[in-house]
Amino acid sequence: MKKQFIDQLKAGDSLGDVFALSEKNLLRKKDGEPYLNVTLSDRTGTLKGVAWDNVAEIRDAVSSGDIVFVTGRVSEYRGSLQAVVADMKAASPYDRDPADFLPATDKDIEAMFSRLKKVLSAIETPHFKRLLDAFFEDEDFAPVFKAAPAAKSMHHAYIGGLLEHTLSMCLLIDKIGRHYAGINTDLLLVGAALHDIGKIREFEWTTRIDYSDKGRLVGHIIMGCAMIDERIARAGDFPEKDAVLLRHMVAAHHGSREFGSPEPPKTLEALLLHMVDDMDAKMNGVREFIMKQDPDESWTPYHRLLERHFYVPES
């Protein structure tokens, strides 16, 4: 049974437990000698590490994605914890409880799924309702959607994260969309519900959350549009104009070509969807970042992606 979890480790601790090997890269020092950079993970977080010794043995014994038994120690390097790996080998099958290695939402998945369907039941347009049923009433799609993460690391990066993110967006949009004139609220809600469905194919989550080959080569936006087209073809009597508007919302929800969208938002619905998506992702990501930091500190460490420290007032 796993006893050491990453969020409990501190500098000076000895390592002797199982972790998921998320990444393994062979590098060379200035003198040409090889070493390994690794990333270990469990359900509580990730830990960067380095192996200076037994490099060839470790390289040949384990692969990224394996559950491994690690011995070594925890040190501090440039203000962050680091594993200094003495040895690493494939873990015994008896030490591989998946619940130890994959972070999961702390919310009730079935309750969230029921609430999502309740919010979407307000949609009145018949062809939109048929399209949503083609996804969320599908016994093959629904279980995967409920389990999928929404990202590898930045936001909702845990089991159930995609459902949690989708529900949050639909709840926000159900309120915000009615505030502005000229919004097709049915179209907007359908876009919110389906904007990230390609992520069930973009990611893999067994012992770690990572990109699938298709995810790296194609991406969830293109795969999501293809999945919508597949269901539209089976739904019957779906106006082409609405199909185009829905595809545009999915294609534009990252906001710009710089961030992966083939086109920027060019309709009110697409613009609002992008802004709510960006808000929900950033709020979740920053909140998770703050929760992992020292509760006695008023400022977090530097957030590299958002390029700032965050102030944490006393509660």
Side-chain angles (χ1 to χ4, degrees):
M1 179 181 294
K2 181 172 170 61
K3 296 179 180 179
Q4 287 184 311
F5 287 91
I6 287 171
D7 68 343
Q8 298 170 352
L9 295 174
K10 58 184 182 299
D13 285 351
S14 295
L15 285 175
D17 213 327
V18 289
F19 300 89
L21 178 58
S22 296
E23 294 182 9
K24 182 192 70 173
N25 296 302
L26 181 67
L27 303 173
R28 294 194 178 274
K29 295 183 283 187
K30 292 181 179 179
D31 62 5
E33 287 296 307
Y35 69 99
L36 289 172
N37 265 356
V38 300
T39 301
L40 307 176
S41 62
D42 61 29
R43 69 170 188 249
T44 68
T46 60
L47 177 66
K48 297 288 186 181
V50 61
W52 304 113
D53 303 314
N54 300 318
V55 173
E57 292 85 350
I58 294 172
R59 179 197 61 197
D60 295 338
V62 296
S63 300
S64 296
D66 288 351
I67 302 299
V68 295
F69 189 88
V70 180
T71 56
R73 59 185 174 83
V74 180
S75 67
E76 188 170 334
Y77 177 70
R78 293 183 176 177
S80 299
L81 294 181
Q82 174 182 256
V84 180
V85 176
D87 197 13
M88 183 186 299
K89 58 187 177 182
S92 162
Y94 301 104
D95 293 326
R96 300 183 183 185
D97 182 352
D100 287 338
F101 304 103
L102 290 176
T105 179
D106 58 2
K107 299 176 175 61
D108 185 302
I109 285 180
E110 292 303 326
M112 285 196 294
F113 192 61
S114 295
R115 192 175 185 193
L116 174 63
K117 291 203 290 185
K118 183 177 180 181
V119 174
L120 297 177
S121 69
I123 292 172
E124 297 178 350
T125 309
H127 56 271
F128 286 151
K129 292 176 74 72
R130 289 197 304 272
L131 179 61
L132 291 175
D133 286 346
F135 282 103
F136 298 120
E137 300 300 328
D138 185 327
E139 294 182 356
D140 293 323
F141 173 84
V144 182
F145 175 80
K146 288 188 280 188
K152 179 179 177 179
S153 59
M154 290 314 302
H155 72 95
H156 300 90
Y158 40 76
I159 299 303
L162 178 57
L163 170 59
E164 184 179 318
H165 173 54
T166 302
L167 172 60
S168 179
M169 283 190 59
C170 287
L171 290 170
L172 288 166
I173 275 172
D174 188 47
K175 296 178 172 60
I176 297 172
R178 302 178 195 283
H179 179 75
Y180 296 101
I183 297 289
N184 183 333
T185 54
D186 279 6
L187 174 64
L188 184 56
L189 266 178
V190 173
L194 301 181
H195 77 288
D196 267 348
I197 54 170
K199 288 186 174 180
I200 73 167
R201 297 178 180 175
E202 183 175 43
F203 293 109
E204 298 174 334
W205 55 95
T206 49
T207 58
R208 59 175 180 165
I209 295 171
D210 204 354
Y211 290 95
S212 66
D213 291 343
K214 287 183 179 179
R216 289 189 186 278
L217 291 169
V218 181
H220 73 277
I221 287 179
I222 293 174
M223 288 190 285
C225 287
M227 292 168 69
I228 289 170
D229 283 346
E230 291 168 7
R231 298 313 200 279
I232 284 177
R234 300 202 300 259
D237 192 26
F238 200 102
E240 177 60 17
K241 179 180 178 181
D242 282 349
V244 170
L245 291 173
L246 180 56
R247 288 188 205 107
H248 173 66
M249 292 174 71
V250 175
H253 78 265
H254 278 193
S256 67
R257 296 182 182 91
E258 177 187 3
F259 294 111
S261 275
E263 293 294 333
K266 297 175 181 177
T267 66
L268 290 175
E269 292 82 8
L271 182 62
L272 189 52
L273 178 70
H274 159 62
M275 290 190 291
V276 172
D277 180 44
D278 186 60
M279 177 178 70
D280 191 66
K282 282 190 170 68
M283 287 298 294
N284 177 268
V286 172
R287 184 175 59 188
E288 291 285 319
F289 180 72
I290 289 172
M291 289 175 61
K292 292 177 181 177
Q293 311 309 323
D294 187 340
D296 295 326
E297 295 292 333
S298 297
W299 288 92
T300 70
Y302 190 71
H303 193 296
R304 296 189 181 279
L305 181 65
L306 297 179
E307 299 179 328
R308 72 197 76 169
H309 300 271
F310 284 93
Y311 179 63
V312 186
E314 293 184 11
S315 56

